[in-house]
Amino acid sequence: MTPHLDSFFKQVDGLSESFIDRLRKAVAIPSISAQDEHRNDVVRMAQFLAAELKNLGAEVELRPLGKQPGKEHLDLPPVIIARYGNDTSKRTILVYGHYDVQPALKDDGWASDPFELTIDEKGRMYGRGSTDDKGPVLGWLNVIEAHQKAGVELPVNLLCCFEGMEEYGSEGLDEFIQAESKAFFKDADAVCISDNYWLGTKKPCLTYGLRGCNYYSVSVSGPGQDLHSGVFGGSAHEPMTDLVAILSKLVDSQGNILIPGIMDLVAPATEEERALYSGISYTVNNLHESLGSETGIHSTKEKILMARWRYPSLSIHGIEGAFSAPGAKTVIPAKAIGKFSIRTVPNMESEDVNRLVFNHIKAEFAKLDTKNKLDVWLQHDGKWWVANPKHWNFNAASKAVRQVFGVDPDMTREGGR
Amino acid sequence: MTPHLDSFFKQVDGLSESFIDRLRKAVAIPSISAQDEHRNDVVRMAQFLAAELKNLGAEVELRPLGKQPGKEHLDLPPVIIARYGNDTSKRTILVYGHYDVQPALKDDGWASDPFELTIDEKGRMYGRGSTDDKGPVLGWLNVIEAHQKAGVELPVNLLCCFEGMEEYGSEGLDEFIQAESKAFFKDADAVCISDNYWLGTKKPCLTYGLRGCNYYSVSVSGPGQDLHSGVFGGSAHEPMTDLVAILSKLVDSQGNILIPGIMDLVAPATEEERALYSGISYTVNNLHESLGSETGIHSTKEKILMARWRYPSLSIHGIEGAFSAPGAKTVIPAKAIGKFSIRTVPNMESEDVNRLVFNHIKAEFAKLDTKNKLDVWLQHDGKWWVANPKHWNFNAASKAVRQVFGVDPDMTREGGR
Ligand SMILES: [Zn+2]
Ligand SMILES: [Zn+2]
Ligand SMILES: [Zn+2]
Ligand SMILES: [Zn+2]
């Protein structure tokens, strides 16, 4: 099928020891973005990666992102941006990855030193960052190197964007990308995010969507201070009573959102979309395993996956200001703040969701006929994303998966970050 | 009206400096039961009180209560029991009080040293324990002394029970009283608890009832561990959703308990009882002042007081196991435990209340049609108490209040501890 790539694949196999060695060097740098004392290692990792890219002939820049918000004594690690290839007759693919890792201690349950790449008897490699996300990032360097050594021209121009703060909220990245979208990244025809996992253990997956999240607080307040339920119980409108009443009107036990109009915002599933689910390698048992229980709502793979990926959901996370410790305390909280969020999907616009949420809560609160005071506000929102899984970029990725793994990839979405 | 007491009252006035001096000595002993390092001071306070009682001719015993539960290196302070008078033709009154105090620091906002009795220009006395409860305890000593010096016989025999752990849960007292009810206390015809406050600032009050408390936990659990709402939202029955639904079925915003049958257990108010409320010195404004808000449910004094004293109430205190901090966390808690309590009144028996609560919650949970697991249990209960406000002991106390303060006392109950 791809005879012109035979020499390329031969190089990949031949270079595998050197690829593994590059991963070993990367894993050995504890580039933990969450820990101040490792900030130098994060920067060291950026320099390692930039040097490797330069060795391969890429144009590389380390771009500073300024001071870390809230920790002004610390510089944010740089974003590595790079370009490989300048042929205007080719498509240009922007590749994203991150070179920082989460903290890891042997005491956390690692069988080996997390910062030493360890290979077991089945050839499986262990090391912090080996899959998230140093391995996938180095994969792009390996691809370039193997093409060069095989004498096969890379069929696209590559743009790279590798950040060092992904595991700590991608501080500073949004603004940077926004600014470079019309500059360094302006040629990008498609984006490839190399930072994902497989749905099961048998097939790679290609992700074409992600739910958004609108996170709300709803507060009910009344008394000037917390009250003793012995002294005041029965004489005052209790904020917790009102808050619980409001929260009970948001979602039912089957996961149905009770806010009028919300479901009208949801794009209907087309036949073409529905067809994608049946082939996906997933079972009800997979859900039970990941839940650690048999308390799933839906009884078919298709319904489960659609509930997680393409329909909205509403979760109540907790209450701030009420008694939350073990034991017993006879307090009437003066103010209680409920926290809930809605996972959003096409075509729910944040402002429309907010309006429906606020109107519903205010209407339900009015029915309570209480003298307490209501406040409801959006804490933050993040928009959903969905791509066309038949786009040429996905077709190319599917072909690559078939070539290397011998199977069609699962076309997946994600439930939300 | 009471000419034979003229010489007694003259002694009270004449001894007032010496009474104040005794209070000054008592306040100066920092008998803080909650702080280990002050345990010696608590014991010192017991010895002071016992010596004063002996000086007055009472038979006094300091009874040990053993080690403090959970702090086995500490001895509990002794209970002081005493008898003054042995005349079988007289009634015997058992008097309760406590000689320990709560912690107090000048930094807490005291205008003067809390352990130094300070008298302001209006003659008001300030000092930790001066009202709670060293002053009232010493009042009994003063009464004995003034009778003696006036040559007037005390009309009753007195039994005393003064404890040193009231402000730290009255550790060990229940078992002690139970054991002595057939021994040292067996002659008691009535009990007088000298440890209360006035409802307002104008009239003393006599308390003839106290609500009880049944405290419940209701837990809903499902997943094997906390879940991420992005990944799982919409696919699993969420414990918080179910718990909030259950809690919303317990009480409405007007304070009405929604558990069928609960109100049938409540003794109806008689005309005689209703008549007691109209004379009580209390206003809707008093409620608003103590609430720190105008969020009271009822619009008349009578309804407010009856709601606080003689009707049950249900308060939702909080939720354990859910997200309770400020900020946002997109967690689906694996298990959430709601805490609520019912203030009980005559004739609610704890077992009947439990049965109705458990049945109602189980029935409401069944309606949810969820796969999650429900548990509901009683954390603890404490029984209500009510006395006949026309009992001779209350009549005697009322007469004494009229004599000294020139007003009828408020006949009050308490909402619960
Ligand atoms: Zn990652
Ligand atoms: Zn990660
Ligand atoms: Zn007290
Ligand atoms: Zn007290």
Side-chain angles (χ1 to χ4, degrees):
Chain A
M1 264 176 70
T2 50
H4 69 288
L5 288 180
D6 281 354
S7 60
F8 165 75
F9 285 116
K10 218 164 273 168
Q11 285 295 334
V12 170
D13 291 337
L15 288 166
S16 72
E17 277 310 312
S18 119
F19 291 168
I20 291 170
D21 197 54
R22 181 147 54 200
L23 181 58
R24 181 175 293 114
K25 286 177 190 156
V27 165
I29 302 172
S31 54
I32 304 167
S33 50
Q35 297 175 342
D36 298 5
E37 66 271 29
H38 282 291
R39 184 57 48 90
N40 279 340
D41 295 317
V42 183
V43 173
R44 204 150 57 83
M45 180 65 205
Q47 288 160 346
F48 167 79
L49 204 52
E52 295 283 314
L53 278 162
K54 269 179 206 154
N55 279 347
L56 293 169
E59 306 158 39
V60 187
E61 296 178 36
L62 291 185
R63 289 288 194 86
L65 288 179
K67 301 290 176 190
Q68 181 165 338
K71 292 188 176 178
E72 273 70 17
H73 59 289
L74 275 184
D75 282 319
L76 286 168
V79 179
I80 299 171
I81 56 175
R83 167 179 283 277
Y84 184 79
N86 246 317
D87 186 338
T88 52
S89 70
K90 294 178 186 170
R91 279 171 170 154
T92 299
I93 307 295
L94 170 57
V95 168
Y96 165 89
H98 62 90
Y99 61 83
D100 62 318
V101 296
Q102 292 195 11
L105 292 172
K106 190 118 200 307
D107 288 349
D108 296 342
W110 284 76
S112 53
D113 180 346
F115 295 103
E116 185 180 320
L117 191 74
T118 306
I119 307 181
D120 74 5
E121 66 282 358
K122 291 181 181 164
R124 293 177 299 198
M125 286 171 250
Y126 299 86
R128 176 54 99 211
S130 54
T131 62
D132 183 17
D133 189 35
K134 290 174 175 177
V137 164
L138 295 182
W140 292 103
L141 278 65
N142 298 345
V143 156
I144 294 171
E145 185 176 352
H147 274 89
Q148 287 177 349
K149 298 218 160 129
V152 178
E153 206 184 330
L154 203 67
V156 295
N157 303 313
L158 282 184
L159 289 173
C160 298
C161 175
F162 299 143
E163 67 158 325
M165 281 300 273
E166 197 274 342
E167 301 291 9
Y168 201 73
S170 292
E171 300 263 24
L173 190 70
D174 276 13
E175 300 75 10
F176 177 80
I177 290 177
Q178 207 73 48
E180 294 300 331
S181 63
K182 302 268 183 305
F184 198 90
F185 301 148
K186 73 172 189 300
D187 294 339
D189 293 302
V191 174
C192 182
I193 293 176
S194 284
D195 185 22
N196 210 343
Y197 50 87
W198 298 14
L199 191 60
T201 55
K202 301 207 167 59
K203 296 159 74 181
C205 65
L206 299 177
T207 301
Y208 66 97
L210 174 68
R211 293 194 294 188
C213 183
N214 278 30
Y215 200 108
Y216 298 96
S217 290
V218 49
S219 115
V220 180
S221 58
Q225 67 290 323
D226 285 359
L227 304 174
H228 186 280
S229 71
V231 180
F232 291 103
S235 67
H237 295 286
E238 300 191 10
M240 272 295 279
T241 303
D242 295 342
L243 179 61
V244 159
I246 293 295
L247 295 177
S248 77
K249 298 289 163 51
L250 298 177
V251 59
D252 72 17
S253 290
Q254 313 312 314
N256 300 304
I257 297 176
L258 304 176
I259 300 163
I262 285 283
M263 295 310 289
D264 301 337
L265 302 177
V266 177
T270 61
E271 276 316 303
E272 193 179 3
E273 185 198 330
R274 285 184 189 280
L276 289 172
Y277 293 95
S278 59
I280 291 176
S281 162
Y282 191 77
T283 66
V284 176
N285 274 342
N286 289 149
L287 176 68
H288 290 169
E289 277 159 30
S290 53
L291 291 178
S293 68
E294 305 201 346
T295 56
I297 293 174
H298 307 288
S299 55
T300 68
K301 168 176 79 177
E302 288 80 0
K303 280 186 179 165
I304 294 168
L305 294 177
M306 291 179 89
R308 285 172 62 171
W309 296 346
R310 70 100 53 227
Y311 285 115
S313 62
L314 191 154
S315 296
I316 302 168
H317 306 297
I319 294 175
E320 177 187 343
F323 176 55
S324 61
K329 189 178 171 189
T330 57
V331 66
I332 298 174
K335 178 178 184 172
I337 307 174
K339 314 280 180 85
F340 68 96
S341 66
I342 298 177
R343 293 288 158 175
T344 56
V345 298
N347 299 317
M348 300 167 75
E349 294 297 330
S350 181
E351 305 72 47
D352 295 333
V353 175
N354 293 345
R355 185 173 35 80
L356 294 172
V357 166
F358 298 159
N359 286 348
H360 177 62
I361 287 183
K362 284 172 189 165
E364 290 296 330
F365 189 76
K367 287 185 200 165
L368 299 180
D369 194 23
T370 170
K371 294 182 188 136
N372 287 327
K373 185 168 163 291
L374 172 80
D375 268 312
V376 52
W377 67 96
L378 178 77
Q379 272 206 50
H380 63 69
D381 58 357
K383 198 173 157 70
W384 46 265
W385 159 75
V386 72
N388 176 4
K390 309 279 183 192
H391 184 275
W392 54 258
N393 194 32
F394 284 92
N395 285 342
S398 294
K399 265 167 83 174
V401 167
R402 267 195 301 276
Q403 172 71 31
V404 174
F405 292 90
V407 289
D408 281 323
D410 281 336
M411 301 303 294
T412 65
R413 297 200 198 183
E414 285 194 40
R417 315 239 143 188
Chain B
M1 265 177 67
T2 49
H4 68 289
L5 288 180
D6 281 355
S7 60
F8 164 76
F9 286 116
K10 217 163 273 169
Q11 285 295 335
V12 169
D13 292 336
L15 289 165
S16 71
E17 278 310 312
S18 120
F19 291 169
I20 291 169
D21 197 54
R22 180 146 57 201
L23 181 59
R24 181 174 291 116
K25 285 178 191 155
V27 164
I29 303 172
S31 55
I32 304 167
S33 49
Q35 297 175 342
D36 297 5
E37 65 271 27
H38 282 292
R39 185 57 48 90
N40 279 341
D41 295 316
V42 183
V43 173
R44 203 149 58 83
M45 180 64 205
Q47 288 160 347
F48 167 79
L49 204 52
E52 295 285 313
L53 280 162
K54 268 179 206 153
N55 279 347
L56 293 169
E59 306 159 39
V60 187
E61 297 178 36
L62 291 184
R63 289 289 193 86
L65 289 179
K67 300 291 177 191
Q68 180 164 338
K71 293 188 176 178
E72 273 71 17
H73 59 290
L74 274 185
D75 282 319
L76 286 167
V79 178
I80 299 171
I81 56 174
R83 167 179 284 276
Y84 184 79
N86 246 319
D87 186 337
T88 52
S89 70
K90 295 179 184 168
R91 280 171 169 152
T92 299
I93 307 298
L94 170 56
V95 167
Y96 164 89
H98 63 90
Y99 61 83
D100 62 320
V101 295
Q102 292 196 12
L105 292 173
K106 189 117 199 306
D107 288 348
D108 296 343
W110 284 75
S112 53
D113 180 345
F115 295 102
E116 185 181 320
L117 191 73
T118 306
I119 308 182
D120 73 7
E121 66 282 358
K122 292 181 180 163
R124 293 177 299 198
M125 285 172 249
Y126 299 87
R128 176 54 101 210
S130 54
T131 62
D132 182 18
D133 190 32
K134 290 174 176 177
V137 164
L138 295 182
W140 292 103
L141 279 65
N142 298 346
V143 157
I144 294 172
E145 186 176 350
H147 275 88
Q148 286 177 351
K149 298 221 160 127
V152 178
E153 207 183 327
L154 204 66
V156 295
N157 304 312
L158 282 184
L159 289 173
C160 298
C161 176
F162 299 144
E163 67 158 324
M165 281 300 274
E166 197 276 343
E167 301 291 8
Y168 202 73
S170 292
E171 300 263 24
L173 190 72
D174 276 13
E175 300 74 10
F176 176 80
I177 289 177
Q178 207 72 47
E180 293 301 331
S181 63
K182 303 269 182 305
F184 198 89
F185 301 147
K186 72 172 189 302
D187 295 338
D189 292 303
V191 174
C192 183
I193 293 175
S194 286
D195 185 22
N196 211 342
Y197 50 87
W198 297 12
L199 191 59
T201 55
K202 301 208 166 60
K203 295 159 73 182
C205 65
L206 299 177
T207 302
Y208 66 97
L210 174 69
R211 292 194 295 188
C213 183
N214 278 29
Y215 200 108
Y216 299 96
S217 290
V218 50
S219 114
V220 180
S221 57
Q225 67 289 322
D226 285 358
L227 303 175
H228 186 279
S229 70
V231 180
F232 291 103
S235 68
H237 295 285
E238 300 191 11
M240 271 295 279
T241 303
D242 295 342
L243 178 62
V244 159
I246 293 297
L247 295 177
S248 76
K249 298 290 162 51
L250 298 177
V251 60
D252 72 17
S253 290
Q254 313 311 314
N256 299 304
I257 298 176
L258 303 177
I259 301 163
I262 285 283
M263 294 310 289
D264 301 337
L265 303 176
V266 177
T270 61
E271 277 315 304
E272 193 179 4
E273 185 197 331
R274 285 183 189 280
L276 288 174
Y277 293 94
S278 58
I280 291 176
S281 163
Y282 191 77
T283 66
V284 176
N285 274 342
N286 289 148
L287 176 67
H288 290 169
E289 277 159 30
S290 54
L291 292 178
S293 68
E294 304 201 348
T295 56
I297 294 175
H298 308 289
S299 55
T300 68
K301 169 176 79 175
E302 289 80 2
K303 280 187 180 165
I304 294 168
L305 294 177
M306 291 180 90
R308 285 171 63 170
W309 295 347
R310 69 99 55 225
Y311 285 116
S313 62
L314 191 154
S315 296
I316 301 168
H317 306 298
I319 294 176
E320 177 188 342
F323 175 56
S324 61
K329 190 177 170 189
T330 56
V331 66
I332 298 174
K335 179 178 185 171
I337 307 174
K339 315 280 180 83
F340 68 96
S341 66
I342 298 176
R343 294 288 158 176
T344 57
V345 297
N347 299 315
M348 300 167 76
E349 294 298 330
S350 182
E351 304 72 47
D352 295 333
V353 175
N354 294 344
R355 186 172 37 78
L356 293 172
V357 166
F358 298 158
N359 285 347
H360 176 62
I361 287 183
K362 283 171 189 165
E364 290 296 331
F365 189 76
K367 288 184 199 165
L368 299 180
D369 194 23
T370 170
K371 294 181 187 138
N372 287 328
K373 187 168 162 290
L374 172 80
D375 268 311
V376 51
W377 67 97
L378 179 77
Q379 272 207 50
H380 62 70
D381 58 356
K383 199 174 156 72
W384 45 265
W385 159 75
V386 73
N388 175 4
K390 309 280 182 190
H391 185 274
W392 54 258
N393 194 32
F394 284 93
N395 287 340
S398 294
K399 265 168 82 173
V401 169
R402 267 195 302 276
Q403 172 70 32
V404 174
F405 292 90
V407 290
D408 282 323
D410 281 334
M411 300 303 294
T412 65
R413 298 200 199 183
E414 285 195 39
R417 316 238 144 192

